[in-house]
Amino acid sequence: MARTNTTVRRTGTVIAFTLMLLGALTMVLPFLWMLSTSLKESKLVFDYPPQWIPNPVEWEHYIEVWHVVPLATGLLNSLIVTALVVVVGTLSSTMAAFAFAKLEFPHKGAIFAVLLATLMVPIVVLIIPQFLIYAQIGWIDTLLPLIVPGLLGNVTMIFFLRQYMLGLSTELLEAAKLEGAGFFRIYWSIFLPLCKPAIAANVIIVFMATWNDYLGPLIFTNSPQNSTVQLVIASFSAFHAEQTDYPMVMTASIIAVLPVIILFTIAQKYFVNSFAFSGIKG
């Protein structure tokens, strides 16, 4: 009987490992194909069977791509937008999360419910009103529509950090108040450091969402000097698919995805720890 249970457990482990391996391959293979294509000649892109290790290897694409399109301008614009949204938006979100988790004020529950309800509104529904407002105040074809809303905080981050802060002891706040500390001092000196893992995890998510945003820049900007890196990559696409320079597209994509990979590699420990310790607590 014991031998049968061991066999069943091993079989389950093998099946689970196989499924996870297949899942990992479906995510890694497109990236490897992108890397391989960026090093190929255009005529070899659609060869069958695919040639995973190109021969010859065209490293020149990583030099030429900077001269074919304004990739540096796109990267700089994306960096400006993402840095401001991540830094200032994270600060706003943590302050709001602290207020909803640890402070008492009138109608707190109702205000938080309304805030969460905004998550149910599809983004596409908001595009036309936003465009009309931005056109009225002269923000079209500037980076302001991509930056200013993000400075006010992120509802998903507020919700996640509130749940995390609810798990922290309220006695810390009471003890600090007895010592004469104000609410901002308590937030800045006590709760903000304690939330580092959760903040790091959310910073990665917001960074990826802002860096990879395509719809916003496409609608609110129209000149090359205000294009983000996603629009610059899209500008490679020709009307006829066979005329698109896929090696250049993949080269620019590899360069564009590097900041995300670097950030995730640096903060991976916080990302995993945050979800492991906090979860989603009601």
Side-chain angles (χ1 to χ4, degrees), residues 40-51:
K40 289 180 181 175
E41 295 179 356
S42 297
K43 61 184 180 183
L44 302 178
V45 171
F46 295 110
D47 273 5
Y48 187 83
Q51 191 179 24

Side-chain angles (χ1 to χ4, degrees), residues 1 90 114 127 234 251:
M1 185 67 180
T90 298
V114 171
I127 289 176
T251 302

Side-chain angles (χ1 to χ4, degrees), residues 231-265:
L231 293 187
V232 171
I233 293 173
S235 68
F236 276 109
S237 299
F239 183 77
H240 297 287
E242 64 271 15
Q243 294 177 351
T244 300
D245 193 343
Y246 286 102
M248 283 295 181
V249 174
M250 296 306 159
T251 302
S253 300
I254 288 286
I255 294 172
V257 84
L258 282 179
V260 179
I261 294 176
I262 293 171
L263 179 66
F264 183 80
T265 303

Side-chain angles (χ1 to χ4, degrees), residues 180-193:
F183 286 124
F184 186 79
R185 175 84 178 276
I186 296 171
Y187 151 78
W188 185 262
S189 301
I190 299 177
F191 283 90
L192 200 59

Side-chain angles (χ1 to χ4, degrees), residues 70-103:
L71 187 59
T73 303
L75 286 169
L76 179 61
N77 288 334
S78 289
L79 185 63
I80 292 171
V81 172
T82 305
L84 289 173
V85 169
V86 169
V87 175
V88 183
T90 298
L91 188 63
S92 305
S93 299
T94 53
M95 293 175 71
F98 173 71
F100 282 120
K102 297 299 179 185
L103 303 185

Side-chain angles (χ1 to χ4, degrees), residues 105-129:
F105 52 88
H107 311 297
K108 185 174 80 171
I111 295 172
F112 187 64
V114 171
L115 193 66
L116 290 185
T118 60
L119 291 174
M120 302 176 191
V121 181
I123 294 177
V124 291
V125 174
L126 303 175
I127 289 176
I128 293 177

Side-chain angles (χ1 to χ4, degrees), residues 133-157:
I133 292 171
Y134 296 149
Q136 193 72 25
I137 59 180
W139 283 8
I140 295 301
D141 198 26
T142 70
L143 297 180
L144 292 175
L146 310 178
I147 295 173
V148 176
L151 303 184
L152 305 178
N154 180 289
V155 178
T156 305
M157 182 186 285

Side-chain angles (χ1 to χ4, degrees), residues 180-231:
F183 286 124
F184 186 79
R185 175 84 178 276
I186 296 171
Y187 151 78
W188 185 262
S189 301
I190 299 177
F191 283 90
L192 200 59
L194 290 175
C195 292
K196 276 183 181 176
I199 293 172
N202 280 275
V203 162
I204 294 172
I205 295 171
V206 173
F207 182 93
M208 288 193 296
T210 309
W211 184 267
N212 293 327
D213 184 24
Y214 176 71
L215 187 62
L218 179 66
I219 294 173
F220 301 129
T221 63
N222 49 46
S223 59
Q225 64 268 25
N226 289 321
S227 295
T228 61
V229 69
Q230 306 304 331
L231 293 187

